[in-house]
Amino acid sequence: MTKVFKVNMYFLIILLLEVLGPYALRPLYTFIGLSDTRLILFFNHTILFLIPAMIYLIITKSSFKETLRLNKLHWQDTLLIILLGFIVQPVMTFFSLISSFFFKNEIGSFISEISSTPYLLLLCLVALLPSITEEITIRGVVLSGYNNVNKYIAASVTGLFFGILHLDGQQFLYAAILGFVFALVVRITNSIYASMLMHFIINGTSVTIAKISRIISDSLPINPEVAELTLKNIGIEEKILLIVIYGTIAVIFSAFVFLIIYGLNRINEKRSIQEVKVDRQSSYKEEKIINIPFILIIIVYIVVMLLTI
């Protein structure tokens, strides 16, 4: 059993847990009288992501430090990662916009619902928690199985998995692209803290905007559903105009994203950070990416999406 097969199987299990777990845990939450969605969010992330990761590492006798890439992030890398965390957001917004034409923004609605939560607590739940649990799952365990695969291919596959992990049509596209960037910076810096930091900045920005919007909506007679409703029902000409405007901005910022990643890669090459080398004659033959678990992951995701339309 190859490493890729193992982590693909692991992600398949995580996906099934994510689909079925909330239903299995609901009777337990009801029994103990737990109804606060914020606490449920915390326990779901812990049970469905952290515990399986720990079990996997123990069963496979893998090194926690090496598998999860718990390596110190150089200060130069940290500065570039922080900059990248902000620069990539207009790109993410463009793809989110496109998805919003076809799917309801469920996560946006959820954040709006809990936006009355104290800011620091909201930041911990929506920004800090996922930046730990989801990163350990995808850029930790899963990406470690792709060590012998070209970093761009590994980033593409794990980016796809990251999009699937959200189980949300509106989030899939931009999450997959972000997943690609996250995996790339982790492979370049050899530190999971790179993606954790970016993840926190991006989610933290969303939380901050939601909190500010909540304050404004509380002081003005604005219906919180108007923006979403208008976006889904605007005419084709307005949609094209939005795509052109946001697309142009995305292209400009994509160039900066490329330059930052390129610079990050050059800096780390100079520091002689050694990546796991790919054996071009044998590794690609052994490490088949498209295997049974991979196919099942795609099937499960498609079925879930069809059932939730």
Side-chain angles (χ1 to χ4, degrees):
M1 187 182 296
T2 65
K3 289 182 178 180
V4 169
F5 187 94
K6 286 181 181 179
V7 295
N8 282 0
M9 179 62 72
Y10 168 79
F11 183 74
L12 174 61
I13 293 172
I14 292 296
L15 183 61
L16 292 174
L17 285 174
E18 193 182 8
V19 172
L20 304 175
Y23 298 101
L25 292 171
R26 188 176 298 168
L28 173 62
Y29 294 152
T30 301
F31 177 74
I32 64 178
L34 182 62
S35 59
D36 192 312
T37 55
R38 294 164 296 188
L39 284 175
I40 291 175
L41 175 66
F42 172 78
F43 284 116
N44 280 351
H45 269 258
T46 302
I47 296 171
L48 302 179
F49 296 135
L50 286 185
I51 293 178
M54 298 304 105
I55 293 175
Y56 175 88
L57 292 171
I58 292 171
I59 291 178
T60 59
K61 298 179 180 179
S62 304
S63 166
F64 277 57
K65 187 176 187 300
E66 291 181 6
T67 303
L68 302 182
R69 288 184 169 89
L70 301 175
N71 302 311
K72 182 179 178 181
L73 196 60
H74 194 276
W75 70 267
Q76 288 179 308
D77 295 345
T78 301
L79 293 177
L80 287 174
I81 291 299
I82 291 174
L83 179 61
L84 186 59
F86 288 104
I87 293 295
V88 76
Q89 292 192 51
V91 181
M92 179 187 75
T93 300
F94 170 68
F95 289 103
S96 177
L97 173 69
I98 293 176
S99 299
S100 295
F101 291 147
F102 306 98
F103 302 96
K104 182 180 179 181
N105 188 353
E106 300 287 355
I107 186 63
S109 300
F110 173 72
I111 294 178
S112 295
E113 289 175 10
I114 63 174
S115 60
S116 59
T117 304
Y119 178 68
L120 290 179
L121 179 57
L122 192 61
L123 200 63
C124 288
L125 284 173
V126 182
L128 182 60
L129 181 63
S131 69
I132 295 173
T133 58
E134 294 177 6
E135 291 310 310
I136 285 177
T137 299
I138 303 295
R139 262 68 62 177
V141 176
V142 176
L143 186 60
S144 70
Y146 286 79
N147 281 346
N148 291 333
V149 177
N150 175 278
K151 63 184 177 186
Y152 296 106
I153 296 176
S156 298
V157 175
T158 54
L160 172 66
F161 287 172
F162 190 55
I164 289 174
L165 184 72
H166 288 76
L167 290 175
D168 186 296
Q170 196 277 330
Q171 288 185 284
F172 173 79
L173 187 57
Y174 76 77
I177 293 170
L178 281 179
F180 174 84
V181 175
F182 287 167
L184 204 55
V185 296
V186 168
R187 282 287 294 262
I188 289 173
T189 63
N190 196 33
S191 174
I192 196 173
Y193 298 125
S195 59
M196 283 183 172
L197 182 56
M198 279 192 69
H199 200 152
F200 177 80
I201 289 172
I202 292 168
N203 284 21
T205 301
S206 298
V207 167
T208 303
I209 292 174
K211 196 65 177 177
I212 294 173
S213 299
R214 175 67 183 228
I215 295 173
I216 295 175
S217 64
D218 286 344
S219 60
L220 297 174
I222 298 175
N223 186 340
E225 295 183 359
V226 169
E228 178 68 19
L229 185 63
T230 303
L231 184 61
K232 291 181 66 176
N233 293 285
I234 61 176
I236 186 65
E237 292 182 359
E238 288 82 0
K239 287 182 179 180
I240 293 174
L241 179 61
L242 283 175
I243 289 175
V244 170
I245 294 173
Y246 281 86
T248 301
I249 295 172
V251 168
I252 294 172
F253 277 84
S254 293
F256 288 113
V257 169
F258 171 79
L259 291 174
I260 293 172
I261 293 177
Y262 178 79
L264 193 65
N265 190 52
R266 289 293 300 271
I267 289 172
N268 280 275
E269 283 181 349
K270 289 181 179 179
R271 290 200 212 102
S272 300
I273 289 183
Q274 300 297 319
E275 287 189 359
V276 178
K277 301 300 181 181
V278 177
D279 184 343
R280 297 182 180 275
Q281 295 184 348
S282 62
S283 183
Y284 285 121
K285 294 180 181 180
E286 295 177 1
E287 302 288 326
K288 292 182 179 179
I289 295 172
I290 302 178
N291 45 40
I292 293 177
F294 183 94
I295 295 172
L296 290 176
I297 288 168
I298 303 301
I299 293 175
V300 169
Y301 180 70
I302 292 174
V303 170
V304 171
M305 289 297 98
L306 290 175
L307 291 175
T308 55
I309 291 178

